[in-house]
């Protein structure tokens, strides 16, 4: 009985040792002789999954977004960026995860992804949009005008010459207004400009 117990413990240690060594093997090469998964082969596997899921989403772009597919894509994007933060695709994948979460009205995950873009990759080409989208989420989905105003002001401060700064100013002016109020204001402006 003791022999079986010790054998089980030895097997568990051997298995966990193999798993640990494969995760810590940083030579970035796929060692096919041992079957170890290394960082390079792991990255290739994630990239393959992402390419497959993006192909599927592209093929169904004219149909409503499938929530299961979108959730799987978000998870793949998130894990890729977490495991390979220095890769050039990581900020793009986090941004895409934020867009998907936003389109599914998953406010908190969207804010988390977009914040990660801003915090980790402030020089990423879509960082201004990631910031602006956070303001929109606070404004439109969460009805949190205080945080929306704060984010919009940050957009104006960080990107003063951009179109997004102008959009942020307009968004601040419209905070808390209902669609009906916005339509009435637009109609008044149209009537006033028609009189001129």
């Amino acid at each position: 009985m003791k022999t079986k117990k010790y054998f089980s413990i030895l097997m568990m240690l051997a298995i966990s040792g193999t798993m640990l060594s494969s995760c810590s093997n940083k030579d970035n090469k796929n060692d096919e002789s041992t079957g170890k998964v290394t960082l390079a082969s792991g990255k290739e596997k994630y990239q393959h999954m992402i390419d497959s899921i993006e192909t599927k989403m592209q093929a169904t772009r004219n149909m409503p977004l499938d929530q299961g597919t979108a959730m799987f894509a978000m998870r793949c994007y998130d894990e890729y960026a977490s495991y390979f933060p220095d890769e050039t695709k990581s900020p793009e994948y986090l941004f895409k995860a934020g867009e998907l979460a936003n389109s599914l009205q998953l406010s908190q995950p969207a804010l988390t992804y977009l914040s990660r873009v801003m915090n980790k990759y402030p020089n990423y080409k879509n960082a201004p949009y990631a910031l602006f989208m956070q303001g929109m989420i606070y404004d439109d989905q969460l009805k949190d005008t205080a945080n929306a105003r704060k984010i919009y002001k940050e957009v104006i401060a960080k990107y003063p010459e951009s179109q997004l700064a102008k959009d942020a100013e307009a968004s601040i002016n419209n905070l808390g207004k209902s669609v009906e109020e916005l339509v009435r204001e637009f109609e008044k402006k149209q009537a006033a400009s028609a009189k001129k």
Side-chain angles (χ1 to χ4, degrees):
M1 186 67 146
K2 280 186 178 183
T3 310
K4 263 189 179 179
K5 187 175 181 180
Y6 289 123
F7 182 74
S8 296
I9 291 171
L10 287 173
M11 285 303 290
M12 287 174 45
L13 288 172
I15 291 169
S16 55
T18 302
M19 289 169 56
L20 285 173
S21 68
S22 68
C23 290
S24 64
N25 183 357
K26 300 209 186 252
D27 64 357
N28 286 342
K29 293 183 181 171
N30 191 9
D31 187 352
E32 293 179 18
S33 64
T34 63
K36 291 181 182 178
V37 177
T38 62
L39 290 178
S41 63
K43 183 169 63 172
E44 290 167 7
K45 288 178 184 185
Y46 271 104
Q47 189 62 61
H48 177 71
M49 284 191 297
I50 289 170
D51 291 344
S52 296
I53 200 78
E54 286 182 342
T55 300
K56 181 178 180 179
M57 288 191 298
Q58 184 68 20
T60 59
R61 72 180 177 277
N62 295 328
M63 298 190 299
L65 183 62
D66 176 65
Q67 187 169 357
T69 302
M71 296 292 282
F72 181 68
M74 286 166 32
R75 192 178 98 215
C76 289
Y77 291 146
D78 181 18
E79 288 181 6
Y80 183 98
S82 295
Y83 292 133
F84 314 106
D86 296 330
E87 290 295 318
T88 57
K89 292 181 181 182
S90 291
E92 182 70 25
Y93 288 160
L94 284 175
F95 185 74
K96 287 180 176 184
E99 288 181 312
L100 283 173
N102 183 40
S103 68
L104 293 173
Q105 303 282 309
L106 300 172
S107 307
Q108 291 305 336
L111 289 170
T112 299
Y113 292 131
L114 297 168
S115 293
R116 283 174 62 194
V117 170
M118 288 302 302
N119 294 332
K120 178 88 173 143
Y121 309 99
N123 296 322
Y124 166 59
K125 66 179 180 178
N126 286 329
Y129 298 101
L131 184 60
F132 185 80
M133 281 175 60
Q134 290 175 69
M136 288 176 46
I137 292 166
Y138 279 117
D139 186 6
D140 298 337
Q141 294 177 25
L142 299 175
K143 306 300 182 206
D144 182 345
T145 55
N147 274 320
R149 182 182 310 278
K150 179 180 153 195
I151 297 291
Y152 288 142
K153 285 185 176 185
E154 190 176 342
V155 170
I156 295 165
K158 285 186 173 182
Y159 313 104
E161 302 301 318
S162 70
Q163 179 61 45
L164 285 177
K166 294 173 186 159
D167 295 342
E169 285 180 31
S171 296
I172 288 171
N173 293 333
N174 295 323
L175 279 175
K177 294 180 182 175
S178 68
V179 174
E180 293 81 21
E181 289 175 295
L182 294 172
V183 169
R184 281 195 299 271
E185 285 182 13
F186 178 75
E187 289 171 347
K188 281 182 188 178
K189 286 180 184 176
Q190 290 294 324
S193 65
K195 288 181 183 179
K196 290 181 181 180

